[in-house]
Amino acid sequence: MESGHRMIQWVEIDRKAFLNNVGEFKKRLGRTALMAVIKANAYGHGLLPMARLAQEAGLGWLGVNNLEEGLVLRQAGFNQKILILGYTGLDQAKEVVQADLRSVVYNLESIRALARAARCLRKKAIVHLKIETGTNRQGIPGKKLGEIVRELKKLPEIEVEGVSSHFANIEDTTDDFYPKRQLANFLEAVNFLEKNGLVIPIKHLACSAAAILFPETYFDLARVGLGLYGLWSSRETLISCQQRGQEPLKLKPVLSWRTRVAQVKPVSSGSYVGYGCTYRTTRASKLAVIPVGYYDGYDRSLSNTAYVLIKGHRAQIRGRICMDFIMADVTDIPGVKLEDRVTLLGSDGQEKITAEQLASLAGTINYEIITRINPLVPRVIV
Ligand SMILES: Cc1ncc(COP(=O)(O)O)c(C=O)c1O
């Protein structure tokens, strides 16, 4: 973000860390192509900055959630292969084909809408069939595969480029029973499709955890999100990796979230802090007022629980997280002054706050901590 003034709040994107993570996955995947999953504003890292870094890293595939994200990328001039992983509305088919976006499909209505759009535009609609293998999210159930193939044979405007599925239980477990069952279901579906005359240039199944743990799921393309941002999908993924005697990937977190002190405030012992007066000081204290709140994606459940970093020290959050503010205790941190840098997530000196720590305190997962950072907060590549 370029602006004449300094930012009050920003997200730093560590370019070297991202390129390192791409290298780690490329090494693991060998000949399998790597898709950077940059849906959900690139897991909070910023859609355009991460598309730029993916391009720099030479990644030819980008995964987005919807048409809107795809269009933002096309309008910014990105010409990689872009696959819409989420749902595409029937009335969006024309825009999808026009912008050369690929979409996953799992019902006849979408396939027909794309065929109509393609006919109208005199182009092909490129699709990836999504197979239901046990996640029971998007996907074509086994029983419907025959119907889909018959329909595809009638629609020359549709080019089936890929067949995919997604794992349900691969991250937070050391038990590989369910992914194995899903892999078997996937292979069965692929076999059925091929026997019925469908040529499948690209098969893809693996997400970060699968790309780390299960070479048998690699096929032609791996869709990797969290790992490229330098985070582990779960502690169990790391443990499974160690149990299998595999060298853990050397992943480096890409994102840091920072702001500046908006006010330094001495308060007397017995003062209440914030909405609901949920905290009361037990000594004369110094508070730092921090201009970030739950609107920005800093979870309200972190009230009175988490800490931020100022001058390389931990400053405990006092009182409730407000919509746009947090108060933190800097009584024991010497010399804190207006506009000192505050780290909400990331490192400062010897101290660091990880997405996993915040997730554990907030009762959620690292994915949610990072994706929830308000897209309006500027993202800066450093
Ligand atoms: C369909 C699909 N593929 C791939 C991914 C990437 O998963 P991960 O971030 O665990 O690599 C996701 C993320 O949720 C997804 O929904």
Side-chain angles (χ1 to χ4, degrees):
M1 215 214 54
E2 282 94 35
S3 67
H5 53 83
R6 284 172 63 213
M7 289 165 281
I8 285 176
Q9 180 190 173
W10 66 99
V11 164
E12 285 172 14
I13 300 301
D14 184 335
R15 173 179 163 274
K16 270 198 190 151
F18 179 75
L19 297 177
N20 166 79
N21 302 335
V22 170
E24 287 292 290
F25 275 95
K26 275 191 171 169
K27 241 189 292 170
R28 194 66 138 216
L29 290 167
R31 296 157 63 91
T32 297
L34 174 57
M35 171 190 289
V37 178
I38 57 170
K39 64 177 184 163
N41 199 31
Y43 290 40
H45 292 60
L47 186 67
L48 291 177
M50 295 318 293
R52 212 172 303 141
L53 290 184
Q55 190 169 46
E56 183 183 338
L59 301 183
W61 282 91
L62 300 175
V64 298
N65 181 44
N66 53 29
L67 169 67
E68 286 76 14
E69 289 179 337
L71 289 180
V72 167
L73 293 174
R74 285 289 183 249
Q75 279 151 16
F78 290 100
N79 57 12
Q80 287 103 320
K81 293 175 186 157
I82 299 175
L83 178 61
I84 299 175
L85 299 166
Y87 181 62
T88 303
L90 301 179
D91 56 354
Q92 296 180 324
K94 214 165 172 178
E95 280 181 280
V96 167
V97 177
Q98 199 145 29
D100 289 321
L101 300 170
R102 287 134 164 93
S103 54
V104 297
V105 290
Y106 35 91
N107 60 53
L108 284 174
E109 294 88 336
S110 301
I111 292 171
R112 288 178 186 145
L114 284 162
R116 274 195 302 277
R119 220 170 294 141
C120 186
L121 293 164
R122 296 173 194 281
K123 291 176 77 169
K124 287 235 173 188
I126 306 178
V127 302
H128 290 223
L129 302 183
K130 179 103 180 224
I131 309 298
E132 179 51 63
T133 57
T135 301
N136 284 314
R137 198 168 73 172
Q138 308 146 288
I140 307 166
K143 275 188 262 167
K144 294 263 179 194
L145 282 174
E147 192 181 18
I148 296 276
V149 182
R150 283 193 294 279
E151 187 69 11
L152 287 169
K153 284 187 180 153
K154 291 188 234 156
L155 300 171
E157 306 84 356
I158 299 284
E159 178 185 332
V160 177
E161 182 182 47
V163 170
S164 72
S165 192
H166 189 50
F167 286 115
N169 196 24
I170 200 162
E171 282 105 11
D172 51 359
T173 177
T174 52
D175 181 355
D176 60 10
F177 151 73
Y178 207 70
K180 278 191 170 150
R181 184 204 257 186
Q182 284 194 272
L183 173 61
N185 291 343
F186 183 68
L187 289 171
E188 194 183 330
V190 163
N191 192 29
F192 174 87
L193 293 169
E194 288 178 337
K195 271 199 177 141
N196 281 274
L198 196 76
V199 176
I200 309 168
I202 301 172
K203 295 164 196 148
H204 51 109
L205 185 55
C207 55
S208 296
I212 291 170
L213 296 173
F214 298 110
E216 60 271 43
T217 66
Y218 289 179
F219 298 101
D220 307 294
L221 177 68
R223 309 180 307 266
V224 178
L226 198 76
L228 290 184
Y229 306 109
L231 303 186
W232 283 77
S233 306
S234 69
R235 204 173 295 193
E236 286 83 353
T237 308
L238 177 58
I239 291 166
S240 299
C241 193
Q242 289 161 339
Q243 279 177 347
R244 285 156 186 263
Q246 296 170 346
E247 172 82 4
L249 274 66
K250 294 180 185 68
L251 300 181
K252 295 185 177 161
V254 170
L255 181 152
S256 303
W257 185 7
R258 305 195 204 271
T259 182
R260 293 188 263 159
V261 173
Q263 189 180 10
V264 181
K265 178 168 299 178
V267 294
S268 53
S269 180
S271 300
Y272 296 97
V273 183
Y275 289 131
C277 300
T278 59
Y279 185 79
R280 195 173 185 193
T281 57
T282 53
R283 58 176 177 161
S285 304
K286 204 168 47 171
L287 300 174
V289 179
I290 296 162
V292 171
Y294 58 77
Y295 168 66
D296 302 293
Y298 198 86
D299 202 285
R300 189 168 175 275
S301 67
L302 297 170
S303 299
N304 281 310
T305 302
Y307 56 86
V308 298
L309 303 176
I310 303 177
K311 291 182 171 298
H313 295 279
R314 299 178 184 197
Q316 196 66 36
I317 288 171
R318 301 298 193 203
R320 286 197 183 140
I321 310 293
C322 313
M323 188 184 290
D324 306 297
F325 286 101
I326 297 169
M327 281 71 81
D329 192 337
V330 292
T331 314
D332 297 321
I333 309 177
V336 174
K337 54 183 193 316
L338 187 66
E339 305 228 333
D340 274 350
R341 191 180 72 159
V342 180
T343 299
L344 304 158
L345 180 55
S347 301
D348 181 7
Q350 300 301 307
E351 287 284 358
K352 71 175 172 190
I353 301 172
T354 65
E356 290 72 27
Q357 281 172 308
L358 291 183
S360 160
L361 293 172
T364 183
I365 51 173
N366 50 9
Y367 287 81
E368 189 178 357
I369 294 294
I370 53 173
T371 53
R372 282 281 179 93
I373 302 175
N374 191 321
L376 294 177
V377 176
R379 268 67 175 173
V380 191
I381 297 175
V382 294

Coordinates of all heavy atoms in Angstrom, one line a residue, residues 305-336:
T305 N -7.3 -11.8 28.2 CA -6.7 -13.1 28.1 C -5.4 -13.1 27.3 O -4.4 -13.6 27.8 CB -7.7 -14.0 27.3 OG1 -8.9 -14.1 28.0 CG2 -7.1 -15.4 27.1
A306 N -5.4 -12.4 26.1 CA -4.2 -12.5 25.3 C -3.2 -11.3 25.7 O -3.5 -10.5 26.6 CB -4.5 -12.3 23.8
Y307 N -2.1 -11.2 25.0 CA -1.2 -10.1 25.2 C -0.7 -9.6 23.8 O -0.8 -10.3 22.8 CB 0.0 -10.5 26.1 CG 0.8 -11.6 25.7 CD1 1.8 -11.5 24.7 CD2 0.5 -12.9 26.2 CE1 2.6 -12.6 24.3 CE2 1.2 -14.0 25.7 CZ 2.3 -13.9 24.8 OH 3.0 -15.0 24.4
V308 N -0.2 -8.4 23.8 CA 0.4 -7.9 22.6 C 1.9 -7.6 23.0 O 2.3 -7.8 24.1 CB -0.3 -6.5 22.2 CG1 -1.7 -6.8 21.8 CG2 -0.1 -5.4 23.2
L309 N 2.7 -7.3 22.0 CA 4.1 -7.0 22.2 C 4.4 -5.6 22.0 O 4.0 -5.0 21.0 CB 5.0 -7.9 21.3 CG 4.8 -9.4 21.4 CD1 5.6 -10.1 20.4 CD2 5.1 -9.9 22.9
I310 N 5.1 -5.0 22.9 CA 5.5 -3.6 22.8 C 7.0 -3.5 23.3 O 7.3 -4.0 24.4 CB 4.7 -2.6 23.6 CG1 3.2 -2.7 23.2 CG2 5.1 -1.1 23.4 CD1 2.2 -1.9 24.0
K311 N 7.9 -3.0 22.5 CA 9.3 -2.9 22.8 C 9.9 -4.3 23.2 O 10.7 -4.4 24.2 CB 9.5 -1.9 24.0 CG 9.2 -0.4 23.6 CD 9.5 0.4 24.8 CE 9.5 1.9 24.4 NZ 10.5 2.3 23.5
G312 N 9.4 -5.3 22.6 CA 9.9 -6.6 22.8 C 9.4 -7.2 24.1 O 9.9 -8.3 24.5
H313 N 8.4 -6.6 24.7 CA 7.8 -7.2 26.0 C 6.4 -7.5 25.8 O 5.7 -6.9 25.0 CB 8.0 -6.2 27.1 CG 9.4 -5.8 27.5 ND1 10.1 -6.6 28.3 CD2 10.2 -4.8 27.1 CE1 11.3 -6.1 28.5 NE2 11.4 -5.0 27.7
R314 N 5.9 -8.4 26.6 CA 4.5 -8.8 26.6 C 3.7 -7.7 27.4 O 4.0 -7.4 28.5 CB 4.2 -10.1 27.3 CG 4.9 -11.3 26.6 CD 4.7 -12.6 27.3 NE 5.5 -13.6 26.7 CZ 5.3 -14.9 26.9 NH1 4.3 -15.3 27.7 NH2 6.0 -15.8 26.3
A315 N 2.6 -7.3 26.8 CA 1.7 -6.4 27.5 C 0.3 -7.0 27.5 O -0.3 -7.2 26.5 CB 1.6 -5.0 26.8
Q316 N -0.1 -7.4 28.7 CA -1.4 -8.1 28.9 C -2.6 -7.3 28.6 O -2.6 -6.1 28.9 CB -1.4 -8.5 30.4 CG -2.4 -9.6 30.7 CD -2.1 -11.0 30.0 OE1 -0.9 -11.3 30.0 NE2 -3.1 -11.7 29.6
I317 N -3.5 -7.9 27.9 CA -4.8 -7.1 27.5 C -5.6 -7.0 28.8 O -5.8 -8.0 29.5 CB -5.5 -7.8 26.4 CG1 -4.7 -7.6 25.1 CG2 -6.9 -7.3 26.2 CD1 -5.2 -8.4 23.9
R318 N -6.1 -5.8 29.0 CA -6.9 -5.5 30.2 C -8.3 -5.1 29.7 O -8.4 -4.2 28.8 CB -6.4 -4.4 31.0 CG -5.0 -4.7 31.6 CD -4.9 -5.9 32.5 NE -3.6 -5.9 33.2 CZ -3.1 -7.0 33.7 NH1 -3.7 -8.2 33.6 NH2 -2.0 -7.0 34.4
G319 N -9.3 -5.7 30.3 CA -10.7 -5.4 29.9 C -11.1 -6.0 28.6 O -10.4 -6.8 28.0
R320 N -12.3 -5.6 28.1 CA -12.8 -6.2 26.9 C -12.2 -5.6 25.6 O -11.9 -4.5 25.6 CB -14.3 -6.0 26.8 CG -15.1 -6.9 27.8 CD -16.5 -7.0 27.5 NE -17.2 -7.8 28.5 CZ -18.4 -7.5 29.0 NH1 -19.1 -6.5 28.6 NH2 -18.9 -8.3 29.9
I321 N -12.1 -6.5 24.6 CA -11.7 -6.0 23.3 C -12.9 -5.2 22.8 O -14.1 -5.6 22.9 CB -11.5 -7.1 22.3 CG1 -10.6 -8.2 22.9 CG2 -11.1 -6.6 20.9 CD1 -9.2 -7.8 23.1
C322 N -12.7 -3.9 22.4 CA -13.8 -3.1 21.9 C -13.9 -3.3 20.4 O -13.1 -4.0 19.8 CB -13.5 -1.6 22.2 SG -13.0 -1.2 23.9
M323 N -14.8 -2.6 19.8 CA -15.0 -2.7 18.3 C -13.7 -2.2 17.6 O -13.2 -2.8 16.7 CB -16.2 -1.8 17.9 CG -16.5 -2.0 16.4 SD -17.8 -0.8 16.0 CE -19.2 -1.5 16.8
D324 N -13.1 -1.1 18.1 CA -11.9 -0.5 17.5 C -10.7 -0.3 18.4 O -9.8 0.4 18.0 CB -12.3 0.9 16.9 CG -13.5 0.8 16.0 OD1 -13.4 0.1 15.0 OD2 -14.6 1.3 16.3
F325 N -10.8 -0.8 19.6 CA -9.7 -0.5 20.6 C -9.5 -1.7 21.5 O -10.4 -2.5 21.8 CB -10.0 0.7 21.5 CG -9.9 2.0 20.7 CD1 -11.0 2.7 20.3 CD2 -8.6 2.6 20.5 CE1 -10.9 3.9 19.6 CE2 -8.5 3.7 19.8 CZ -9.6 4.4 19.3
I326 N -8.2 -1.7 22.0 CA -7.8 -2.7 23.0 C -7.0 -1.9 24.0 O -6.3 -0.9 23.6 CB -6.8 -3.7 22.4 CG1 -7.5 -4.5 21.3 CG2 -6.2 -4.6 23.4 CD1 -6.5 -5.4 20.5
M327 N -7.1 -2.2 25.3 CA -6.2 -1.6 26.3 C -5.3 -2.7 26.8 O -5.7 -3.9 27.0 CB -7.1 -1.1 27.4 CG -7.7 0.3 27.1 SD -9.0 0.2 25.9 CE -10.4 -0.3 27.0
A328 N -4.0 -2.3 26.9 CA -3.0 -3.3 27.4 C -2.2 -2.7 28.5 O -2.0 -1.5 28.6 CB -2.1 -3.7 26.3
D329 N -1.7 -3.5 29.4 CA -1.0 -3.1 30.6 C 0.5 -2.9 30.3 O 1.1 -3.9 30.0 CB -1.2 -4.1 31.7 CG -0.8 -3.6 33.1 OD1 0.1 -2.7 33.1 OD2 -1.3 -4.1 34.1
V330 N 1.0 -1.7 30.4 CA 2.4 -1.5 30.1 C 3.1 -1.0 31.3 O 4.2 -0.4 31.2 CB 2.6 -0.6 28.9 CG1 2.1 -1.2 27.6 CG2 1.9 0.8 29.0
T331 N 2.5 -1.2 32.5 CA 3.1 -0.7 33.7 C 4.6 -1.1 33.9 O 5.4 -0.3 34.3 CB 2.3 -1.3 34.9 OG1 0.9 -1.1 34.7 CG2 2.7 -0.5 36.2
D332 N 4.9 -2.4 33.5 CA 6.3 -2.9 33.7 C 7.2 -2.8 32.5 O 8.2 -3.3 32.4 CB 6.2 -4.3 34.1 CG 5.4 -4.5 35.5 OD1 5.6 -3.6 36.3 OD2 4.6 -5.4 35.6
I333 N 6.7 -2.1 31.5 CA 7.5 -1.9 30.3 C 8.0 -0.4 30.3 O 7.2 0.5 30.1 CB 6.7 -2.2 29.0 CG1 6.0 -3.6 29.1 CG2 7.7 -2.1 27.8 CD1 5.2 -3.9 27.9
P334 N 9.3 -0.2 30.5 CA 9.8 1.2 30.6 C 9.7 1.9 29.3 O 9.9 1.4 28.2 CB 11.2 1.0 31.0 CG 11.5 -0.5 31.1 CD 10.3 -1.2 30.6
G335 N 9.3 3.2 29.4 CA 9.4 4.1 28.3 C 8.4 4.0 27.2 O 8.7 4.5 26.1
V336 N 7.3 3.4 27.4 CA 6.3 3.2 26.3 C 5.7 4.6 26.1 O 5.3 5.3 27.0 CB 5.2 2.2 26.7 CG1 4.1 2.2 25.6 CG2 5.8 0.9 26.9

